[in-house]
Amino acid sequence: MSYQLYRNTTLGHSLQEALEELIQTQQIDPDLGLNVLLQFDKTINAALANRLRTKMQFKGHLRTYRFCDSVWTLVVENGEFHEVGNNSNTFKVDKLKVVACDGRASSTEKE
């Protein structure tokens, strides 16, 4: 199972809207639309796990946290983020929600 977190991004929403339009105009079968979304989930998870190497450090006021079904959810207020490396960029946010899943669990699955 791949996490479906990235369906809630701009790219994920755009893909879903395009698929819904194709299904409504009967250009594709609903099963094909579902298979495309499942492949999107697998591909985006794999790409982010294997291609991103930027590391960030952050600090702030931890407002709430939760651990349920191997998923951490953190809400941070007055957060300050610092990119680790040569181009050390720092930026601040008022409020941030972090959802962290165990990537090892999905990467050990057989395709």
Side-chain angles (χ1 to χ4, degrees):
M1 180 200 117
S2 293
Y3 293 109
Q4 299 178 359
L5 295 172
Y6 303 104
R7 289 187 189 185
N8 209 20
T9 63
T10 303
L11 180 61
H13 284 294
S14 297
L15 176 61
Q16 289 180 76
E17 288 174 12
L19 290 171
E20 287 173 12
E21 183 177 324
L22 290 170
I23 291 169
Q24 288 176 356
T25 59
Q26 297 180 344
Q27 293 180 358
I28 65 169
D29 190 82
D31 289 338
L32 177 59
L34 179 59
N35 286 337
V36 169
L37 282 176
L38 293 173
Q39 186 59 48
F40 171 76
D41 295 335
K42 288 180 187 176
T43 303
I44 195 80
N45 279 286
L48 292 174
N50 298 326
R51 296 184 184 173
L52 281 182
R53 296 293 169 227
T54 303
K55 297 189 182 221
M56 302 289 288
Q57 295 176 338
F58 68 95
K59 63 181 178 179
H61 179 76
L62 182 61
R63 176 58 60 195
T64 61
Y65 65 94
R66 176 178 50 221
F67 182 71
C68 182
D69 296 331
S70 297
V71 177
W72 280 102
T73 304
L74 312 168
V75 176
V76 179
E77 293 180 344
N78 300 320
E80 184 175 311
F81 290 80
H82 177 73
E83 184 179 354
V84 178
N86 296 336
N87 299 330
S88 297
N89 297 321
T90 301
F91 59 95
K92 296 180 180 185
V93 294
D94 294 331
K95 190 173 186 179
L96 173 78
K97 182 178 182 180
V98 177
V99 180
C101 305
D102 187 358
R104 293 172 293 188
S106 63
S107 65
T108 60
E109 294 177 355
K110 293 183 180 179
E111 298 294 318

